[in-house]
Amino acid sequence: MSNVQIIAVAAGDADIRLDRWFRRHFPELGHGRLEKLLRTGQVRIDGKRARAGDRVSAGQSVRVPPLGAALSEKRPNGSAAASVSEHDAAAIRATVLHRDTEVIAINKPAGLAVQGGTGTTRHLDAMLDALRFEATERPRLVHRLDKDTSGVLLLARTAAAAAKLAAAFRHKSARKTYWAVVAGVPRPQRGRIDLPLAKLPGRAGEKMAPEEDGDAAVTYYAVIEQAGSKAAFLALMPITGRTHQLRAHCAAIGTPILGDGKYGGASAHIAGVPGGRALHLHAREILLPHPSGGTLRIEAPLPPHMHETWQFFGFAEDDGDVFADLEAERR
């Protein structure tokens, strides 16, 4: 961090306060130090002076000044930062699904956090140097997946590509399809969940709940296969990108995602299913404009625990592009 950085705001960071954005991306930077950088105009949004309470939008550029060698070499817990281990570097490279001069797509493993935080020292953001390959720039995150959700995650290899990809998410030009196993079978078997969500107060960890005055949240779903009345293989297409949206929506219609005790409690577990305690939510496919033109379509195979569950229930690993007919409404 010896040089000024210009970082494009990812879709997953949209509408949060600037000070929270810094806590996510630079957790080692104290609030007092950030305030000083803001007062002196060293931190800017799209070239303009900014305040800690300003909310950022996807695609905006945040100017991050040099933060100092001592600061960049500290983790939030004060220990010295280490380079990516050979084991982690090999593991994250093995997840690459697609690579070109502007975009890298990986199949993020379940259980790997995208960014660090309190108590989280092993995360994708700390491994990005292993995905430079021949490039001089470190790839950039343009959206996020929850720690326990697996599947397609895109990285931009240049600042220009990051801005274009973030704009695609912001303008809903990206179509994302998730696969899940849920406990029970939704009725009807295909539908639209239009249920605003708001963050619950308290210290029990980040959790969302239906709330009339919450943020708009829309999800399309379709039952692909079912195992009697016990479980169903769902395809899910979120139109909005709220925190834990798919988990909260599935629980709200009475069919929590398998393994999601946080939202479904005991009803999210089915006796006898191998790996049934792990979250069964996977970002299966993403379809969006490529920064250089044309269309980028990436598909990620199921993680081991979900593949085992598919075999257990006899589900086919295909959904036939069930949402192709919703393209016009999605936009």
Side-chain angles (χ1 to χ4, degrees):
M1 281 189 280
S2 59
N3 299 315
V4 170
Q5 299 181 74
I6 305 298
I7 301 177
V9 176
D13 289 332
D15 201 36
I16 64 172
R17 287 169 54 107
L18 180 61
D19 53 2
R20 186 180 175 197
W21 184 90
F22 267 92
R23 284 198 298 273
R24 282 184 179 179
H25 295 275
F26 301 94
E28 70 277 23
L29 181 66
H31 184 74
R33 178 76 187 277
L34 173 61
E35 286 287 0
K36 183 176 180 180
L37 294 172
L38 289 164
R39 285 196 305 272
T40 55
Q42 295 183 66
V43 172
R44 292 174 177 262
I45 299 176
D46 286 345
K48 300 178 181 178
R49 295 178 74 102
R51 296 175 298 178
D54 290 346
R55 293 190 176 272
V56 297
S57 300
Q60 285 185 320
S61 296
V62 179
R63 181 189 188 275
V64 180
L67 299 181
L71 192 62
S72 66
E73 291 168 3
K74 295 281 188 179
R75 289 197 186 274
N77 62 8
S79 62
S83 59
V84 186
S85 70
E86 290 185 13
H87 176 272
D88 281 345
I92 202 63
R93 287 174 187 143
T95 69
V96 172
L97 300 167
H98 169 88
R99 185 176 103 215
D100 59 41
T101 57
E102 294 184 280
V103 182
I104 292 174
I106 68 167
N107 186 4
K108 187 191 83 66
L112 177 65
V114 171
Q115 293 172 311
T118 304
T120 302
T121 57
R122 185 178 184 270
H123 50 86
L124 175 62
D125 197 26
M127 302 177 188
L128 292 181
D129 280 319
L131 296 176
R132 285 179 185 260
F133 298 105
E134 75 287 350
T136 57
E137 294 184 59
R138 190 174 192 260
R140 297 161 168 83
L141 294 164
V142 293
H143 66 126
R144 295 185 300 151
L145 292 175
D146 291 343
K147 177 180 178 180
D148 294 320
T149 301
S150 58
V152 181
L153 186 73
L154 298 183
L155 305 169
R157 303 191 75 186
T158 67
K164 290 179 181 179
L165 291 172
F169 285 105
R170 183 172 71 252
H171 297 308
K172 297 182 172 59
S173 300
R175 190 181 93 182
K176 296 178 285 184
T177 302
Y178 289 73
W179 282 3
V181 171
V182 296
V185 182
R187 294 287 185 267
Q189 293 204 345
R190 182 181 173 116
R192 182 178 191 264
I193 305 169
D194 189 346
L195 195 61
L197 297 172
K199 184 178 179 181
L200 286 175
R203 297 178 175 273
E206 196 168 33
K207 187 174 180 179
M208 308 299 286
E211 175 60 56
E212 186 177 346
D213 295 327
D215 294 324
V218 177
T219 302
Y220 286 94
Y221 73 89
V223 175
I224 307 304
E225 292 188 76
Q226 64 186 84
S229 60
K230 181 182 291 186
F233 160 22
L234 293 192
L236 299 157
M237 186 175 75
I239 303 302
T240 51
R242 307 305 174 199
T243 300
H244 296 175
Q245 176 175 317
L246 301 181
R247 297 167 65 181
H249 274 176
C250 286
I253 63 172
T255 53
I257 294 174
L258 184 64
D260 191 6
K262 182 169 188 171
Y263 283 90
S267 62
H269 304 298
I270 301 174
V273 178
R277 291 277 168 182
L279 184 69
H280 281 59
L281 180 61
H282 178 68
R284 171 64 173 180
E285 183 186 83
I286 193 163
L287 177 70
L288 80 171
H290 191 282
S292 293
T295 299
L296 181 66
R297 184 174 196 153
I298 306 293
E299 193 175 88
L302 290 170
H305 73 282
M306 291 181 68
H307 176 70
E308 192 174 8
T309 299
W310 255 244
Q311 290 187 315
F312 177 82
F313 285 121
F315 295 152
E317 295 187 21
D318 181 33
D319 66 6
D321 197 8
V322 69
F323 296 123
D325 61 323
L326 293 176
E327 194 68 19
E329 186 171 353
R330 183 182 66 85
R331 295 181 186 279

